[in-house]
Amino acid sequence: MCRVAVSDRAHWDRRYDRLGPSAAGSIGLPDIFTAHSDAFPTAGSALDVACGQGRVSIWLAERGLDVRGLDISSVAVEQAAATARERGVADRCRFDVVDLDCGLPPGPPVDVVVCHLFRDERLDRAMVARLRPGGLLAVAALSEVGAAPGRYRVAPGALTHAFADLQIVAAGERSGTAWLLGRRTASC
């Protein structure tokens, strides 16, 4: 683990410990993506970057995808695995404790990459590279649009600029959140 992330891991472990296991009703896409749920495939494989308690990972697995979820918190990863077992999709879900400050771990190409409310520009190219041609990237980040600037907030237009080489399916910025759905083209 990168030395920088030791305090991050402890912070997130404490937070997920306080939250407790994810409620079954919270499984699904983040609200920002629900109007575009039909853009997500029902077969193939997916990578959920900074998956937390596995809410999106489990939703994708219930749709028929094989999913690998990555998070720095061992507590969140344990909770995600337990919820996947409870929902009957543990055979389609693999959750790993990963320090994303060290980069995206190697793995095979996937049909979907989801990264919700975690932003590290150093991962942008790796997430796009992990997609199969035609694969879907779903990314959301805290934004300065509709909110005060802050350390973890992206500037207006940052996501569309960062992922300009993708075919944009939908994107938006409002109420302190920026989001983007994009498909990898053959030229990426």
Side-chain angles (χ1 to χ4, degrees), residues 4-183:
V4 174
V6 171
S7 64
D8 285 345
R9 181 176 183 182
H11 164 80
W12 288 106
D13 279 349
R14 283 190 304 274
R15 181 167 183 213
Y16 287 116
D17 236 355
R18 281 192 306 271
L19 287 174
S22 179
S26 70
I27 300 303
L29 279 177
D31 291 341
I32 202 117
F33 297 127
T34 56
H36 303 282
S37 63
D38 58 338
F40 289 80
T42 57
S45 58
L47 180 65
D48 189 356
V49 178
C51 68
Q53 295 172 304
R55 167 185 166 174
V56 177
S57 296
I58 293 166
W59 181 82
L60 289 166
E62 289 177 345
R63 280 181 72 82
L65 284 86
D66 293 317
V67 185
R68 182 177 182 199
L70 310 173
D71 201 274
I72 194 167
S73 171
S74 60
V75 173
V77 163
E78 290 168 15
Q79 291 171 344
T83 303
R85 284 190 299 275
E86 291 167 12
R87 304 238 348 165
V89 293
D91 60 327
R92 292 181 183 241
C93 293
R94 172 182 160 195
F95 297 100
D96 295 312
V97 176
V98 171
D99 181 357
L100 295 166
D101 287 341
C102 298
L104 199 60
V110 296
D111 300 290
V112 178
V113 173
V114 175
C115 186
H116 182 250
L117 297 184
F118 175 79
R119 181 77 175 122
D120 187 336
E121 294 175 6
R122 299 172 297 175
L123 299 178
D124 291 353
R125 297 292 38 104
M127 290 190 301
V128 171
R130 184 65 61 84
L131 287 170
R132 287 187 176 101
L136 181 70
L137 174 69
V139 62
L142 296 175
S143 170
E144 294 175 355
V145 175
R151 178 177 170 196
Y152 299 106
R153 294 193 180 274
V154 299
L159 293 184
T160 53
H161 176 72
F163 298 105
D165 54 342
L166 296 179
Q167 175 189 4
I168 305 301
V169 174
E173 295 178 296
R174 68 176 191 277
S175 306
T177 305
W179 60 276
L180 178 140
L181 291 174
R183 292 208 180 277

